[in-house]
Amino acid sequence: MSSIAENLERVRDEIATACAHAGRSRDSVALMAVSKTHPAEAVLEAIAAGQKLFGENRVQEFAAKREGIIDLQGAQFHLIGPLQSNKTTRAAELFDAFDALDSLKIAERLNATCATLNKRLGVFIEVKLSHEESKHGLSEAELPALLEAVARLPQLQLRGLMTVPPFTEDPEGARPYFARLRALRDANVAQHPTLTELSMGMSHDFRVAIEEGSTTVRVGTAIFGKRETL
Ligand SMILES: *Cc1c(COP(=O)(O)O)cnc(C)c1O
């Protein structure tokens, strides 16, 4: 089995290759290491290998893990999983950004907590582009209204859009969803100039996502190995 450091190096190389292939500069794509279900030791190993950006799915899980990470060394953590309204305070305290925003109620609660913390929280709006029952995110039709509302909340900084396409064996199956998210970003960036980012692409399809304009790929399995749960 290869180490986390070796996996990170391999994924970084693959991102560089995908960028070159797509005619994009290497620094236009950030690598987010998705450390959900893995212990603090795994995060520390990645930090030691120079990783700065992490994604976690659950507030509770990260709260416990965070205690085992004494020295962040500048690492940033984004919440990339759904957030319940009774956990917004804890989430606002713990995370640098929330990448799966899909409701005004949650946005308003985060804004209120951030005001008391004197903190500005980055947000990505999660858009659900398929008709799958199980997926989180809001529909395309609901996006303009949430963008307008979030733009008026001073403690939240609108950064981009996020999506998780339905899983297909062939990563090409995700391409139309990635292209659609980019089109939505392009259609709204004039009105919302900070809406520049696209968080899309996971372990098995990040190469396709980079070809379609991803600015952050969220990679778990290819860095930390298979998860027992989730
Ligand atoms: C788990 C997860 C990932 C990482 O998935 P891998 O297939 O392990 O790379 C990315 N994004 C979200 C929202 C996730 O929940």
Side-chain angles (χ1 to χ4, degrees), residues 34 36 57 80 162 164 201-204 218-222 227:
V34 178
K36 67 181 180 202
N57 270 58
I80 63 172
M162 189 273 247
V164 182
M202 305 177 17
S203 288
H204 88 295
R218 307 180 308 269
V219 179
T221 310
R227 289 178 292 272

Side-chain angles (χ1 to χ4, degrees), residues 204-224:
H204 88 295
D205 58 14
F206 70 82
R207 299 156 202 85
V208 174
I210 289 170
E211 288 170 12
E212 295 301 330
S214 174
T215 64
T216 300
V217 293
R218 307 180 308 269
V219 179
T221 310
I223 294 170
F224 296 107

Side-chain angles (χ1 to χ4, degrees), residues 159-219:
R159 290 182 52 181
L161 303 178
M162 189 273 247
T163 200
V164 182
F167 181 85
T168 50
E169 220 37 75
D170 181 356
E172 285 297 326
R175 190 182 294 278
Y177 298 97
F178 295 151
R180 185 66 202 145
L181 197 71
R182 181 184 53 189
L184 286 173
R185 191 267 321 263
D186 292 349
N188 287 286
V189 70
Q191 217 175 344
H192 301 285
T194 63
L195 192 83
T196 53
E197 299 192 47
L198 292 172
S199 173
M200 57 189 199
M202 305 177 17
S203 288
H204 88 295
D205 58 14
F206 70 82
R207 299 156 202 85
V208 174
I210 289 170
E211 288 170 12
E212 295 301 330
S214 174
T215 64
T216 300
V217 293
R218 307 180 308 269
V219 179

Side-chain angles (χ1 to χ4, degrees), residues 89-106:
T89 301
R90 199 74 186 101
E93 288 167 355
L94 280 168
F95 289 99
D96 299 292
F98 177 39
D99 297 3
L101 181 67
D102 65 0
S103 97
L104 180 55
K105 181 182 164 196
I106 298 287

